[in-house]
Amino acid sequence: MSRVLTALQPSGVLHIGNYFGAIEPLLDLQEHNENHLFIVDYHAITVPQDPAALRKNILYATAVYLAAGIDPNKTILFQQSRVPQHTELGWILNCFTYMGELERMTQFKDKSRGKGESVSIGLFDYPVLMAADILLYDTQVVPVGEDQVQHVELARDIAKRFNNRFGEVFTIPEVRIRQSGARLMGLDDPTKKMSKSAESPRSYISLQDSPEEVEKKIKTAVTDSESTIVYDPEHRPAIANLLTIYSLVSKKTTEEIVMNYEGKGYGPFKTDLAAAINTWLQPIQEKTLMYLKDEDQLRRILDMGAQKAKEKAEKTMQRVRQTIGIIL
Ligand code: TYM
């Protein structure tokens, strides 16, 4: 039994990369572990958010998690901002993190590119709040997609630094990425990761896409210059990415899929892939809509989660405050 934790931003679109990178891995884990899944609304505001849209997206994300099979009786499901200990610990950890460390974060470099001096402190400081998210619950395992590995490593470094100074206050978390699907690539550009902040929605399959949109996006997805269907991520990244997606949604191995398309071209492969995505997506979309109909229930679930999380978080905070010499 391990303490497992992950979180996602409620910034509009959730795409299949988010689903397979971070939501699905929790489903098996929730049976035998202490699971925590939350919606990082305070991370989302590091870039401008429309308040009404943010409110909607928090409920939407909650509905998606439930639709995916997250059971709020097995997984503590909550909203980050409802547990103020996250920002409190974030502040304290700021005092144990170096500017140089944050300057090295590739996500910050990507997101701040071209913004010059007018990039927010929040965006810069974002990984420290994430470290607080993780360390607050004595987390042992953090399942994430590949793009978050560097942030989890920073959380480990901060925890070790703190422990070296004060003794064993924090548990050192381990990152866990899935073997296949930890980094789905853009459908329009297989050299870039599938991203919700991509310029074109053609980059990703959103969990809200209609069957027609899925078909269109797969039909126009970039392929390689060769026409055979083989799994070779190094030399044929575009088709390898599509095969990975096919494998994830159909639960077949890439070898099996490759065998089925021997001697066939991209046409039938793409038609079948779009159909497989839609078959997988339809029940998730139906359940999401069902959960969204009962907003009170969603709020009750988030309330229950926040209460449970707060109790745990406060225990850690008492230990931390005591340790650093804050009079209680
Ligand atoms: P976010 O909201 O950007 O992404 C949520 C999760 O989806 C994964 N992901 C992907 N996985 C596979 N292929 C992709 N193309 C892809 N794109 C995104 C991400 O790796 C992530 O696991 N900072 C985090 C949220 C966070 C967090 C935490 C995570 C805040 N506190 C504590 C773990 C623990 C983020 O912005 O994720």
Side-chain angles (χ1 to χ4, degrees), residues 16-257:
I16 55 172
N18 300 133
Y19 184 91
F20 289 109
I23 302 176
E24 197 196 53
L26 283 207
L27 298 177
D28 287 340
L29 290 168
Q30 77 179 344
E31 297 308 323
H32 306 291
N33 298 284
E34 236 177 273
N35 251 17
H36 309 73
L37 172 63
F38 53 107
I39 300 158
V40 286
D41 41 6
Y42 278 165
H43 275 105
I45 62 164
T46 56
V47 295
Q49 297 287 338
D50 169 55
L54 181 58
R55 232 168 271 138
K56 225 171 101 194
N57 288 337
I58 291 168
L59 293 173
Y60 168 69
T62 312
V64 168
Y65 302 158
L66 296 169
I70 293 294
D71 177 346
N73 294 310
K74 294 181 183 159
T75 291
I76 302 184
L77 176 59
F78 65 103
Q79 193 185 331
Q80 181 191 39
S81 62
R82 297 282 305 279
V83 183
Q85 286 82 354
H86 287 247
T87 39
E88 184 182 359
L89 184 58
W91 176 255
I92 294 172
L93 297 183
N94 271 333
C95 305
F96 294 86
T97 310
Y98 304 137
M99 295 281 287
E101 286 176 310
L102 295 184
E103 273 159 0
R104 280 196 290 278
M105 294 292 120
T106 52
Q107 194 171 73
F108 173 73
K109 286 194 225 167
D110 288 347
K111 289 196 174 178
S112 61
R113 194 162 293 131
K115 294 211 171 91
E117 292 281 291
S118 57
V119 58
S120 81
I121 303 284
L123 195 64
F124 184 63
D125 200 26
Y126 167 123
V128 182
L129 181 57
M130 178 161 162
D133 293 343
I134 296 169
L135 301 181
L136 206 42
Y137 299 95
D138 293 320
T139 304
Q140 292 160 307
V141 180
V142 189
V144 283
E146 218 170 82
D147 62 329
Q148 294 299 323
V149 170
Q150 196 186 27
H151 292 160
V152 181
E153 279 167 0
L154 177 73
R156 287 167 59 86
D157 291 344
I158 299 172
K160 284 184 196 160
R161 185 171 303 143
F162 195 97
N163 286 357
N164 278 341
R165 166 111 187 255
F166 295 111
E168 295 303 300
V169 177
F170 292 126
T171 301
I172 311 297
E174 302 282 340
V175 70
R176 180 173 302 171
I177 61 167
R178 61 188 305 156
Q179 265 192 335
S180 165
R183 186 175 174 81
L184 291 186
M185 307 309 283
L187 298 175
D188 57 345
D189 181 354
T191 63
K192 294 202 180 111
K193 71 159 185 161
M194 184 179 284
S195 160
K196 42 190 156 191
S197 49
E199 267 167 41
S200 160
R202 290 264 161 113
S203 158
Y204 53 76
I205 302 282
S206 150
L207 298 183
Q208 282 173 299
D209 280 346
S210 68
E212 295 73 30
E213 280 167 318
V214 170
E215 275 164 31
K216 211 188 293 166
K217 286 182 183 184
I218 294 299
K219 211 169 264 172
T220 55
V222 169
T223 48
D224 314 296
S225 49
E226 290 169 65
S227 61
T228 50
I229 291 161
V230 292
Y231 184 73
D232 180 358
E234 205 182 316
H235 302 103
R236 309 275 305 277
I239 198 74
N241 189 43
L242 295 180
L243 278 164
T244 301
I245 295 172
Y246 203 151
S247 160
L248 290 167
V249 296
S250 67
K251 309 273 177 271
K252 291 185 188 149
T253 62
T254 47
E255 291 82 8
E256 251 178 280
I257 301 167

